[in-house]
Amino acid sequence: MDAVQTLRRGDPGYPPALATRPGAPTTLRVLGGHERLARLLHEPAVAIAGSERPSDYGLQIAASLARGLAAAGVTVLGAFADGIAAAAHEGALEIDGPTVALMAAGPDRVQPARRRGLHARILQHGCALALQPPGVPWRPWHATVRARTLAALAALTVIVEADQTAGDLLVADAAQELERPLAAVPGRVTSPVSRATNALIAGGAPLVRGPADVLDLLHGVDGPARADNVTTASPLPSSLPKRLLAVLERVGAGQDTPGRLTRPGQDPAETLAALAELELMGLLARGDGGRYVPRQSLPDG
Amino acid sequence: MLARTRTFTLEGLQTRPVNVEVDIRAGLPGFAIVGLADPSVREARERVQAAILNSGYEFPARRITVNLAPGDIPKIGPGLDLALACAILAASQQLPKEPLEGHALFGELALDGALRACQGTLAVAQGCVEAGLPALVLAPARAREAALVQGLRVAPATTLRAVARVLGGGDADPLPEPSEPEPEPGGADAPVGPDLGDVRGQHHAVRALVIAAAGGHNCLLSGSPGTGKTMLAQRLPSILPPLSRPEAIEVTRIHSIAGQCDGGLARGRPFRAPHHSITTAGLVGGARRGWVGEVVLAHRGVLFLDELSEFAKPALEALRQPLEDGRVAIVRAKHSALYPARFQLLAATNPCPCGYSGERELCRCSEADLARHRRKLSGPLLDRIDLQAALENAGPQGLGARPWTSSVRARERVLQARERQEHRLRGEPVALNAHLDARLLARHARLDEPGERLLCEAQARGTLSARGQHRALRVARTIADLGGRERIDPRDIAVALALRTGVGPRASRAA
């Protein structure tokens, strides 16, 4: 479905969440069909946003949040951009969950061009919204317009990782300005890319550890049947052997390379075998330079 | 008068017998050389004339015609000087003709009549044996190479006059002393080169290197600058099995032709580490006739590509054929040849262009940089690399960490593993686990049920292609061999899988 459909403020298909906001874009270009868009935005949706150059931890958590939300039937919103946003789209797409991607420039400008594949896959089950007319190239202020639209459209915005830079905080600033609900994922206090997210939490934003926390915020603690949906998305089998669980926890604690994981006197082959098994089970992913990173947060003890 | 001498010319890595025919007759003094002589041979006119005169002989002031037969092979190199000079002396009756039939002559002449050694001495010696010539007269400097060949009488001679003495039945000059005592190759002597015990920590990478050595697997090392990738790579030759005698002669011959031989039998496997600015021709050969590429110089040894991502893409593409076949074909307008190039590939790379991938605070790369870097590393080359190991930044112990093993101990294990492979693969066309194809894997790397299940899981997850499965099986087979086991444990598969991916920057990030 390559056709671009134009939605003007006042058209029946125009998202109601935006219609009531002052300063919302007058025209939206929709890829994927406005009926689908309406269906996806019928229920409250969650935006996942953050730095375009996050750490592996941020990428995995963003993906795991999106996966969990998609499994619970919640639409995931995100900018069409590198970093946290792309990871969120990918996470949802892993289980064929629908996402809505906001493109900063015209509908014909798939940027970054490298992510054309992602764009096409998003459109299989989801939608893309472009905020500028066709043929309009990228301009720096388009990102700000997009950030505001994203924050306005979402019932809740979760910032996964962000440094104290204007770029990383675009969406968070927009959400605060529009007085939209904002939550953040904590990170190491020594990591630059968790600087702003930790600051947000210190300033009162709710803390998100996993999809369950997001659903709690979205629906309130007595949300419908969330427990079951969430567990299907987080395949941590209760019967995980102790030795694998131990390795998983230590990786999460920061011992993320075979070298750090192997104790002196221990057989390195054992460590490598455990890592491979965990990777096969989908509990670990490979990150920078051969390091391992958990694919989701720890379940409540 | 007519005279004939025997010599050889080089064509790629082969030698071709050349008959030097000289005809001297009355007429205007002249000295013509025919027979597709290249410039270095045509210059022989000046050298031979001066050498003959300065040796106290007469240079006939008559019409001299030299023919280098056969006439359809290009003649190269100054090694034909000696044969030319002797033919002229014989045709002008200053040398007896009969001995010339049984002696091959090879060497360059200095203007004062001294004899100089030339590249390719060993190859020429082998050519003599093939052509049925019982004796070879040559310069002493590289005569040791020729002495390696069985069934040939080697007669070094320092000057043209000495050559005449030898041809007349006199004694040859002595062989020069070898520069180092020559141990018998194939024997259990000390490992050659820097020791693996110098490497502190990095146990996983060292283990990976040992696995690579045992099975002949190509290996990629990745890590930030300063983690010791180059240092580790340089220690691979010390844990490889020593060259057998036929292999040593093969390697010496190649290096002799390329002018890289120091005169003795090659010890230790070749270790070639070209700089990343090398051209395709430099890597695989072919720039000019007789130019031997790095892959051929690495035959029976290791080709180490440091900073893999900095190599030009065409150069890396050209490695495809030798990695696949163990040979490289050079096709030029006037000649084509096949050169042997069976080597083990070792490569090192940074995880990202700035080198600090993972250190978020230090890594300055943009997404475009990372994507470009990853693209460089991908493709047919990575496909042929069975093992990947990451070197980590120094842990809290730093240089105080203990080494994983020493070269002596590691080589011991490698040799045992190689023995098992040899035994298992007897009668098969390959001798190493790294060269097992699908058919041979099915025959020699069978898995039991738990192992099969593990592989199926990996395939189901979509992260393991058929090629990836074969890679994992090959490596698992070697791991089992190192452990002295005929049966491949599921754990061997798991370790093989862990050693296979994750060197690109942010491999988990979807492209």
Side-chain angles (χ1 to χ4, degrees):
Chain A
M1 270 240 266
D2 282 306
V4 179
Q5 294 174 313
T6 316
L7 279 180
R8 290 194 176 74
R9 216 167 162 172
D11 283 349
Y14 192 88
L18 284 181
T20 50
R21 302 272 150 225
T26 46
T27 324
L28 290 176
R29 288 99 192 149
V30 182
L31 290 165
H34 61 81
E35 296 98 1
R36 188 191 279 178
L37 183 69
R39 191 169 21 95
L40 293 179
L41 295 178
H42 186 252
E43 299 287 327
V46 173
I48 300 181
S51 172
E52 286 191 14
R53 288 179 51 192
S55 71
D56 280 305
Y57 163 74
L59 289 173
Q60 293 302 326
I61 298 299
S64 117
L65 287 178
R67 254 197 320 270
L69 290 172
V74 175
T75 301
V76 170
L77 303 175
F80 184 71
D82 286 330
I84 297 291
H89 291 299
E90 290 285 358
L93 286 171
E94 255 178 71
I95 55 171
D96 289 336
T99 76
V100 177
L102 267 68
M103 301 162 66
D108 49 330
R109 300 270 163 167
V110 178
Q111 246 156 12
R114 216 176 324 112
R115 303 237 181 221
R116 261 189 299 261
L118 176 62
H119 195 257
R121 278 181 289 127
I122 291 173
L123 288 178
Q124 271 171 3
H125 299 290
C127 292
L129 293 180
L131 301 172
Q132 307 295 332
V136 173
W138 162 271
R139 288 285 179 269
W141 65 83
H142 293 167
T144 316
V145 172
R146 172 173 64 186
R148 296 174 65 88
T149 313
L150 191 59
L153 209 44
L156 170 67
T157 303
V158 179
I159 313 291
V160 179
E161 263 188 347
D163 197 350
Q164 299 275 28
T165 61
D168 283 3
L169 285 172
L170 268 181
V171 180
D173 286 343
Q176 283 175 325
E177 220 179 305
L178 295 172
E179 289 174 8
R180 301 291 295 150
L182 187 61
V185 175
R188 289 216 143 117
V189 297
T190 45
S191 167
V193 84
S194 283
R195 234 196 302 241
T197 41
N198 286 342
L200 284 173
I201 294 168
L207 188 152
V208 164
R209 293 161 299 175
D213 287 346
V214 179
L215 290 169
D216 281 345
L217 288 170
L218 203 55
H219 300 307
V221 183
D222 318 302
R226 62 156 185 83
D228 303 338
N229 287 337
V230 167
T231 35
T232 23
S234 18
L236 191 68
S238 48
S239 57
L240 194 66
K242 272 212 179 59
R243 64 183 174 92
L244 291 182
L245 186 59
V247 170
L248 182 61
E249 289 179 346
R250 288 168 64 202
V251 172
Q255 294 175 348
D256 50 5
T257 59
R260 291 194 196 131
L261 281 166
T262 314
R263 295 208 179 82
Q266 200 181 11
D267 183 6
E270 244 188 74
T271 315
L272 283 179
L275 288 170
E277 284 179 72
L278 286 168
E279 201 182 340
L280 280 178
M281 282 193 238
L283 294 171
L284 281 183
R286 292 287 189 102
D288 290 344
R291 292 200 211 171
Y292 286 85
V293 55
R295 294 192 72 221
Q296 57 198 45
S297 42
L298 288 174
D300 293 334
Chain B
M1 293 296 298
L2 210 54
R4 200 170 74 153
T5 56
R6 318 286 297 273
T7 184
F8 292 85
T9 185
L10 290 173
E11 194 179 52
L13 289 181
Q14 307 300 323
T15 53
R16 297 255 178 267
V18 172
N19 286 332
V20 179
E21 303 165 345
V22 169
D23 173 280
I24 301 186
R25 61 183 59 224
L28 279 176
F31 186 175
I33 302 182
V34 298
L36 290 188
D38 87 337
S40 61
V41 180
R42 275 186 264 122
E43 286 175 348
R45 279 173 36 193
E46 322 301 328
R47 290 193 293 267
V48 163
Q49 191 162 3
I52 286 181
L53 288 170
N54 286 326
S55 296
Y57 291 103
E58 229 187 80
F59 193 83
R62 307 173 78 208
R63 189 165 142 179
I64 305 176
T65 310
V66 176
N67 180 34
L68 305 170
D72 56 351
I73 299 174
K75 316 293 179 311
I76 63 165
L80 278 61
D81 285 1
L82 182 59
L84 239 92
C86 290
I88 290 176
L89 289 176
S92 57
Q93 297 175 309
Q94 300 182 74
L95 264 187
K97 282 191 208 165
E98 298 74 40
L100 294 171
E101 279 304 306
H103 286 79
L105 305 163
F106 187 67
E108 176 188 341
L109 281 171
L111 294 182
D112 64 354
L115 202 55
R116 287 207 175 110
C118 293
Q119 295 174 3
T121 305
L122 177 58
V124 167
Q126 289 175 321
C128 285
V129 173
E130 275 161 44
L133 287 164
L136 174 63
V137 183
L138 75 179
R142 295 217 183 124
R144 290 225 147 255
E145 279 175 43
L148 296 170
V149 177
Q150 316 276 32
L152 181 70
R153 186 170 75 85
V154 173
T158 42
T159 63
L160 189 53
R161 283 222 86 99
V163 174
R165 186 187 72 224
V166 168
L167 288 173
D171 290 329
D173 289 325
L175 283 174
E177 284 303 311
S179 47
E180 305 167 325
E182 260 180 44
E184 188 53 30
D189 53 318
V192 173
D195 196 295
L196 203 53
D198 297 336
V199 179
R200 308 262 171 216
Q202 305 290 11
H203 294 176
H204 286 84
V206 174
R207 255 188 112 248
L209 200 71
V210 173
I211 295 172
H217 303 278
N218 298 328
C219 180
L220 175 62
L221 301 171
S222 88
S224 306
T227 44
K229 306 183 287 293
T230 309
M231 181 184 179
L232 186 58
Q234 286 168 343
R235 278 139 180 89
L236 179 58
S238 72
I239 59 175
L240 288 172
L243 290 164
S244 66
R245 195 174 167 91
E247 285 178 335
I249 296 209
E250 208 185 344
V251 168
T252 310
R253 180 196 167 106
I254 293 171
H255 287 240
S256 156
I257 289 175
Q260 305 245 350
C261 198
D262 60 357
L265 192 61
R267 306 177 57 214
R269 304 239 163 209
F271 183 81
R272 305 298 303 185
H275 190 257
H276 53 73
S277 58
I278 196 170
T279 59
T280 308
L283 204 52
V284 295
R288 28 168 220 275
R289 205 177 304 135
W291 178 273
V292 169
E294 289 289 335
V295 298
V296 179
L297 290 171
H299 181 60
R300 301 283 179 214
V302 178
L303 181 69
F304 175 46
L305 302 180
D306 205 352
E307 313 268 5
L308 185 64
S309 55
E310 299 297 313
F311 281 79
K313 205 89 176 45
L316 294 180
E317 286 284 318
L319 287 176
R320 222 201 280 215
Q321 190 200 16
L323 281 174
E324 189 81 49
D325 300 329
R327 309 181 293 196
V328 65
I330 303 295
V331 180
R332 286 283 174 278
K334 292 227 178 108
H335 85 287
S336 71
L338 270 178
Y339 294 75
R342 200 167 258 306
F343 56 90
Q344 190 169 356
L345 179 65
L346 194 56
T349 182
N350 289 320
C352 75
C354 76
Y356 289 104
S357 173
E359 321 283 336
R360 178 62 172 68
E361 308 84 65
L362 297 169
C363 180
R364 297 260 169 274
C365 299
S366 70
E367 279 278 353
D369 290 336
L370 293 175
R372 202 181 316 124
H373 184 84
R374 209 181 315 139
R375 252 202 314 274
K376 255 290 178 64
L377 294 180
S378 69
L381 208 58
L382 215 57
D383 233 11
R384 286 171 173 77
I385 292 180
D386 284 348
L387 276 175
Q388 297 177 356
L391 277 83
E392 308 170 20
N393 296 315
Q397 296 178 297
L399 289 175
R402 6 163 241 108
W404 173 241
T405 185
S406 67
S407 284
V408 172
R409 290 214 313 271
R411 197 170 78 152
E412 181 81 42
R413 298 180 61 216
V414 167
L415 288 173
Q416 281 170 7
R418 290 267 180 137
E419 242 183 77
R420 295 188 81 93
Q421 282 170 73
E422 235 181 79
H423 179 79
R424 182 184 308 121
L425 297 173
R426 193 156 300 161
E428 301 286 9
V430 302
L432 289 174
N433 287 339
H435 303 143
L436 293 172
D437 61 10
R439 182 179 65 89
L440 292 169
L441 280 172
R443 197 187 296 174
H444 296 290
R446 284 260 197 67
L447 295 176
D448 51 10
E449 222 240 292
E452 280 280 359
R453 214 179 324 127
L454 199 59
L455 267 189
C456 283
E457 252 180 72
Q459 197 170 32
R461 269 208 86 216
T463 55
L464 199 61
S465 63
R467 244 201 162 132
Q469 272 197 325
H470 292 158
R471 274 202 293 274
L473 274 176
R474 286 195 284 263
V475 175
R477 177 69 269 171
T478 303
I479 295 175
D481 282 338
L482 276 170
R485 281 175 278 112
E486 193 54 36
R487 183 177 159 271
I488 303 179
D489 282 340
R491 203 172 82 164
D492 300 333
I493 307 267
V495 175
L497 288 173
L499 285 171
R500 122 197 108 83
T501 49
V503 284
R506 319 213 171 189
S508 60
R509 190 187 294 162

